[in-house]
């Protein structure tokens, strides 16, 4: 497919419009509704006029035909683990087909599975004193997986909730959420990244911590004090234990944090920052020409906490250290350092060779390449100026947001305003920045549809980046799918990156609105198809133990399912009882899931093979209630029922 010729391809010919979008221009347009270019309909920023014709059957530049859609009965070669944005969920896609295989409810309520309805899921999500859910909304942005030896191990995936400041963990063996942690004293919890090696004990070569960025600064504590004094607002970088999911520590910083990256040696974590100005209003957040990428020296932070150099904020018991600039003047003892990056940068991504973090410019048309060995040299006191850690800062196009890698030295950066993906060579960019004007770092560009945000390549941020596929999360789909009314799906596009030139392979509509995703080789993931009945302390292992027991007005109903029947044909409770119904699915056959619904009591949930789940409700409506199996299980699925009698 053809791409527009871009001036920055002739790297010394750069018209003014492509220079930094200045504060005045942005602030001026802000009053007119949507700001410049950050809306999809800015004429000037639109991609080449009309959408291109559908991509023809894929023929890769090298390696012949790439089958996008597996033949019936054939499996995909990669798992895509996708955030679901403000649907609150995570989704599992097969790639390259783009088929959605599973939705994993996390911060949302899901009546297919009973997430948010069963006692077990409520305990994970968190409840108020009256037993109702503490939160019913969530906004997932970033999904990342646990690492061993610098690559995915398939054990855990984590995802953030930006709205309420929570981190959730999904188990890689069942693709179910097992823990959610609420982070104290933050708002706008944005980027996450697991560490890839233990920063303190280098013998531990797997993920032990998850780092969390914090975008919205708030008063500390946020209890009504300092509401109108933004100089007293701060952001906290948070470390959560990968196993216990407890918050280990927090580090106060200047500026707002977005995305997070972690180094392969475990020593450094970083977050791109905007609003280093500390402004509370839009214009104030863009006045400085440079913001920063803040680096955290993890080992020093943890040593400072051990040495008792931490405080706490409000009711929280979490130790907090001071990572602000003024508290860290001496590089040799500093907990943090701030590498200057052009204004309002967005993503920060770790190159798979372990050498660089790359910050995208967002309001600047550049990517900044930061060499990690230089950052470590700064912390050792052997690099006098942090600016020297920047080994390249090159123009890529308008609105660079996130970068993925092919493992062959190339980066792929989304250009939100240009509606393109640009492929660029990191070594050539470093040469160009060092003064070699013959170094051609832009390798290729491809139009995407439209306004891409996140991007990721197969196994991208691992030592096994394999340069097969690129997923592009386009925020607007406009005319790419059959119209379905005012709300459009997002368009997740797939690009073949095996050859020198990129090749657009497919469009996939997705329910709004995925942000980030990772693409994991299928052999990294080992799932279980049947639970172990012993995993559930409240299981009823023998159908003979089914029945109703009473303790005052608290009633327990034990029930098992074995296709096509429940162990009780009917059960009796009294009006006013608090009923806990515990259902164990004793079927051991893979794919034999049952459901359980109680009409008028707003209850519906599933039990997978050998799983136990429970619900608690007040029997407040006398009558006969046909409880039935909602999940098709057997030829006699429709007959799979029991009666609940609620006596007056
Ligand atoms: S941020 S479009 Cu929530 Cu992932 Cu970059
Ligand atoms: Cu059991 Cu349907
Ligand atoms: Ca959209």
């Amino acid at each position: 497919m053809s791409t527009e010729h871009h001036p920055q391809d002739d790297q010394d010919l750069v018209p003014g419009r492509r220079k930094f979008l200045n504060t005045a221009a942005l602030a001026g347009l802000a009053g007119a509704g949507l700001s410049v270019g950050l809306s999809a309909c800015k004429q000037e920023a639109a991609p080449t006029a009309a959408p291109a014709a559908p991509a023809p059957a894929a023929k890769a530049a090298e390696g012949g035909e790439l089958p996008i859609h597996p033949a019936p009965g054939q499996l995909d070669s990669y798992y895509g683990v996708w955030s679901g944005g403000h649907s609150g969920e995570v989704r599992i896609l097969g790639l390259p087909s783009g088929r959605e295989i599973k939705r994993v409810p996390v911060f949302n309520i899901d009546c297919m599975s009973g997430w948010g309805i069963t006692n077990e899921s409520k305990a994970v999500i968190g409840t108020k004193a009256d037993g109702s859910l503490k939160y019913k909304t969530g906004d997932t942005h970033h999904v990342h997986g646990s690492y061993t030896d610098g690559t995915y191990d398939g054990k855990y995936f984590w995802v953030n909730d930006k709205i309420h400041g929570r981190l959730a963990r999904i188990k890689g063996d069942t693709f179910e959420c097992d823990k959610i942690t609420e982070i104290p004293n933050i708002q706008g919890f944005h980027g996450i990244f697991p560490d890839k090696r233990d920063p303190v004990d280098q013998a531990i070569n797997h993920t032990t911590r998850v780092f969390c960025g914090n975008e919205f600064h708030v008063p500390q504590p946020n209890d009504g004090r300092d509401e109108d004094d933004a100089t007293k607002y701060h952001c906290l970088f948070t470390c959560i234990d990968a196993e216990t999911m407890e918050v280990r520590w927090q580090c106060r910083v200047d500026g707002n944090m977005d995305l997070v990256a972690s180094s392969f040696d475990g020593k450094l974590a970083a977050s791109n920052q905007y609003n280093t100005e500390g402004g509370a209003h839009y214009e104030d957040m863009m006045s400085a020409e440079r913001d920063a990428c803040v680096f955290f020296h993890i080992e020093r932070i943890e040593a400072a906490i051990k040495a008792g150099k931490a405080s706490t904020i409000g009711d929280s018991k979490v130790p907090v250290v001071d990572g602000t600039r003024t508290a860290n003047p001496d590089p040799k003892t500093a907990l943090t350092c701030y590498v200057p990056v052009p204004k309002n940068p967005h993503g920060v991504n770790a190159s798979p060779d372990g050498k660089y973090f790359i910050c995208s410019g967002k309001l600047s048309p550049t990517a900044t390449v930061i060499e990690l060995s230089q950052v470590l040299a700064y912390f050792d006191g052997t690099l006098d100026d942090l600016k020297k850690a920047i080994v390249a800062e090159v123009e890529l196009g308008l609105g660079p947001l996130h970068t993925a890698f092919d493992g062959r030295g190339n980066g792929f950066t989304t250009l939100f305003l240009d509606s393109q993906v640009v492929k660029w060579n990191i070594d050539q960019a470093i040469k160009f920045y060092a003064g070699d004007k013959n170094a051609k770092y832009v390798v290729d560009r491809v139009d995407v549809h439209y306004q891409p945000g996140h991007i990721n390549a197969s196994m991208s941020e691992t030592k096994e980046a394999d340069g097969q596929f690129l997923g592009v999360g386009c925020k607007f789909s406009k005319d790419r799918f059959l119209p379905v009314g005012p709300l459009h799906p997002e368009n997740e596009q797939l690009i073949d990156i095996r050859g020198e030139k990129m090749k657009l392979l497919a469009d996939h509509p997705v329910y709004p609105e995925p942000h980030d995703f990772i693409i994991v080789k299928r052999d990294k993931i080992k799932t279980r198809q049947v639970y172990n009945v012993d995993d559930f302390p409240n299981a009823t292992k023998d159908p003979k133990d089914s029945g109703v027991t009473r303790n005052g007005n608290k009633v327990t109903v034990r029930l098992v399912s074995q296709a096509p029947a429940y162990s009780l044909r009917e059960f009796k409770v009294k009006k006013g009882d608090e009923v806990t119904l515990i259902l164990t699915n004793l079927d051991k056959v893979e794919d034999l899931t049952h459901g359980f619904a109680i009409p008028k009591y707003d209850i519906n949930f599933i039990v997978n093979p050998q799983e136990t789940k429970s619900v608690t409700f007040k029997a407040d409506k006398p009558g006969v209630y046909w409880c039935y199996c909602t999940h098709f299980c057997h030829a006699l699925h429709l007959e799979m029922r029991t009666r609940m009698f609620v006596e007056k």
Side-chain angles (χ1 to χ4, degrees):
M1 75 175 299
S2 71
T3 52
E4 199 188 339
H5 179 78
H6 275 261
Q8 61 269 41
D9 292 344
D10 315 321
Q11 285 145 13
D12 36 11
L13 254 182
V14 182
R17 185 173 78 81
R18 295 190 169 272
K19 289 287 180 198
F20 296 13
L21 301 175
N22 68 43
T23 307
L26 278 160
L29 278 147
L34 275 174
S35 66
V36 57
L38 301 179
S39 89
C41 46
K42 184 72 167 50
Q43 268 298 327
E44 201 185 3
T48 42
K59 272 225 176 51
E62 297 164 12
E65 193 108 351
L66 190 64
I68 307 171
H69 220 288
Q74 285 196 340
L75 306 184
D76 280 295
S77 42
Y78 292 84
Y79 285 86
V81 188
W82 244 254
S83 82
H86 53 92
S87 71
E89 64 191 15
V90 162
R91 300 163 193 166
I92 312 303
L93 271 53
L95 288 175
S97 75
R99 295 178 292 191
E100 183 181 280
I101 301 168
K102 187 176 187 180
R103 293 183 165 198
V104 183
V106 181
F107 302 112
N108 55 326
I109 295 167
D110 177 43
C111 77
M112 185 286 287
S113 59
W115 187 256
I117 294 160
T118 62
N119 294 328
E120 292 74 17
S121 60
K122 280 179 165 176
V124 173
I125 301 169
T127 52
K128 299 182 200 167
D130 68 359
S132 63
L133 288 175
K134 187 171 180 194
Y135 303 113
K136 299 188 199 72
T137 55
D139 183 19
T140 60
H141 279 222
H142 304 112
V143 184
H144 291 289
S146 53
Y147 285 75
T148 294
D149 296 331
T151 191
Y152 297 129
D153 60 19
K155 190 174 181 193
Y156 297 128
F157 300 93
W158 287 275
V159 70
N160 70 310
D161 164 27
K162 182 167 176 176
I163 302 177
H164 306 299
R166 294 177 292 172
L167 182 74
R169 184 172 74 185
I170 290 162
K171 290 181 69 201
D173 61 348
T174 56
F175 283 109
E176 288 171 354
C177 173
D178 77 329
K179 277 187 190 291
I180 293 179
T181 298
E182 187 170 352
I183 303 172
N185 295 309
I186 62 152
Q187 259 176 45
F189 165 30
H190 203 183
I192 63 167
F193 222 101
D195 68 7
K196 305 188 182 91
R197 184 172 202 136
D198 193 292
V200 181
D201 181 353
Q202 287 279 299
I204 301 174
N205 198 5
H206 60 81
T207 293
T208 52
R209 297 155 174 82
V210 182
F211 300 116
C212 308
N214 165 203
E215 189 175 347
F216 306 155
H217 55 338
V218 287
Q220 306 286 350
N222 190 18
D223 58 1
R225 72 187 73 190
D226 303 329
E227 286 179 347
D228 210 19
D229 182 1
T231 64
K232 300 248 174 70
Y233 296 8
H234 276 290
C235 282
L236 301 172
F237 187 75
T238 301
C239 173
I240 292 182
D241 190 285
E243 285 300 327
T244 66
M245 287 290 284
E246 276 163 23
V247 181
R248 288 172 73 143
W249 49 260
Q250 295 184 294
C251 180
R252 182 186 296 116
V253 300
D254 299 313
N256 297 179
M257 288 170 284
D258 259 333
L259 285 301
V260 175
S262 69
S263 66
F264 281 88
D265 65 9
K267 293 181 181 160
L268 296 170
S271 185
N272 68 287
Q273 293 197 299
Y274 70 94
N275 197 20
T276 49
E277 301 90 335
H281 299 121
Y282 177 80
E283 318 77 69
D284 306 330
M285 298 183 187
M286 287 183 295
S287 57
E289 278 310 311
R290 284 197 171 244
D291 284 294
C293 181
V294 55
F295 280 82
F296 299 88
H297 194 298
I298 307 300
E299 191 176 7
R300 280 189 200 164
I301 289 174
E302 300 196 350
I305 289 161
K306 266 202 182 138
K309 290 181 194 148
S311 56
T312 58
I313 299 170
D315 303 335
S316 166
K317 303 262 182 299
V318 175
V320 181
V321 292
D322 193 346
T324 56
R325 288 167 200 262
T326 46
N328 294 275
D330 179 6
K332 284 201 208 137
T333 56
L335 308 181
T336 58
C337 69
Y338 296 75
V339 177
V341 176
K343 66 162 52 188
N344 295 50
H346 196 59
V348 54
N349 295 97
S351 64
D353 59 9
K355 289 194 206 158
Y356 309 111
F357 282 3
I358 293 170
C359 271
S360 301
K362 191 170 79 183
L363 300 193
S364 146
T366 53
T368 301
V369 182
I370 302 168
E371 189 166 3
L372 301 186
S373 61
Q374 298 298 317
V375 176
L376 289 170
Y378 173 83
F379 278 125
D380 288 343
T382 56
L383 183 78
D384 58 331
D385 184 355
L386 256 183
K387 284 192 207 99
K388 292 185 188 158
I390 296 171
V391 292
E393 195 161 277
V394 291
E395 301 213 359
L396 297 177
L398 286 184
L401 291 184
H402 295 280
T403 300
F405 305 93
D406 63 1
R408 296 187 286 269
N410 300 302
F412 298 81
T413 301
T414 45
L415 302 174
F416 183 84
L417 302 181
D418 280 337
S419 274
Q420 287 191 330
V421 170
V422 55
K423 173 180 177 180
W424 56 288
N425 184 275
I426 299 167
D427 282 343
Q428 292 298 316
I430 293 170
K431 282 194 187 124
F432 180 83
Y433 185 72
D436 177 0
K437 297 299 165 200
N438 293 321
K440 284 268 175 239
Y441 58 86
V442 172
V443 181
D444 191 23
R445 296 175 183 280
V446 67
D447 289 342
V448 294
H449 311 85
Y450 304 93
Q451 269 76 32
H454 274 280
I455 188 169
N456 227 329
S458 41
M459 302 298 289
S460 178
E461 271 177 88
T462 75
K463 290 205 160 153
E464 296 181 321
D466 62 11
Q468 296 289 302
F469 303 108
L470 193 64
V472 184
C474 298
K475 302 286 191 191
F476 297 83
S477 61
K478 295 185 196 173
D479 48 7
R480 302 295 280 192
F481 304 108
L482 289 174
V484 286
L487 178 69
H488 292 242
E490 316 304 304
N491 186 10
E492 309 295 82
Q493 290 190 305
L494 197 74
I495 293 174
D496 180 352
I497 53 167
R498 295 179 300 163
E500 179 82 353
K501 294 266 172 208
M502 293 178 279
K503 177 94 190 165
L504 183 61
L505 295 176
D507 289 0
H508 300 121
V510 283
Y511 190 63
E513 60 164 6
H515 285 243
D516 201 4
F517 48 86
I518 56 174
I519 302 172
V520 182
K521 235 181 162 158
R522 87 178 194 211
D523 62 10
K524 298 285 171 196
I525 294 189
K526 307 263 183 294
T527 63
R528 34 202 298 228
Q529 314 310 123
V530 175
Y531 283 97
N532 183 343
V533 76
D534 295 321
D535 291 346
F536 306 92
N538 56 349
T540 305
K541 294 186 200 171
D542 185 338
K544 288 197 212 78
D545 295 331
S546 307
V548 179
T549 52
R550 172 177 294 278
N551 180 3
N553 69 344
K554 288 199 172 24
V555 172
T556 304
V557 180
R558 296 191 155 274
L559 207 57
V560 309
S561 57
Q562 281 174 302
Y566 298 113
S567 54
L568 300 175
R569 291 158 181 265
E570 56 265 324
F571 58 93
K572 288 181 180 165
V573 298
K574 290 197 172 66
K575 184 182 176 210
D577 284 346
E578 182 194 291
V579 180
T580 296
L581 185 143
I582 306 167
L583 174 59
T584 299
N585 182 2
L586 285 184
D587 278 314
K588 274 190 188 153
V589 183
E590 184 174 336
D591 206 359
L592 221 174
T593 294
H594 296 287
F596 194 87
I598 312 179
K600 312 301 179 189
Y601 277 87
D602 204 20
I603 282 169
N604 184 28
F605 62 99
I606 56 167
V607 272
N608 291 307
Q610 299 282 294
E611 187 180 33
T612 299
K613 287 210 191 126
S614 68
V615 288
T616 298
F617 59 94
K618 187 105 177 199
D620 54 1
K621 295 176 281 285
V624 173
Y625 298 90
W626 281 103
C627 308
Y628 73 98
C629 177
T630 45
H631 205 94
F632 211 108
C633 55
H634 188 276
L636 292 171
H637 159 73
L638 290 170
E639 287 80 355
M640 187 165 176
R641 305 190 218 165
T642 180
R643 279 177 302 166
M644 175 170 78
F645 299 141
V646 180
E647 298 173 335
K648 278 205 266 215

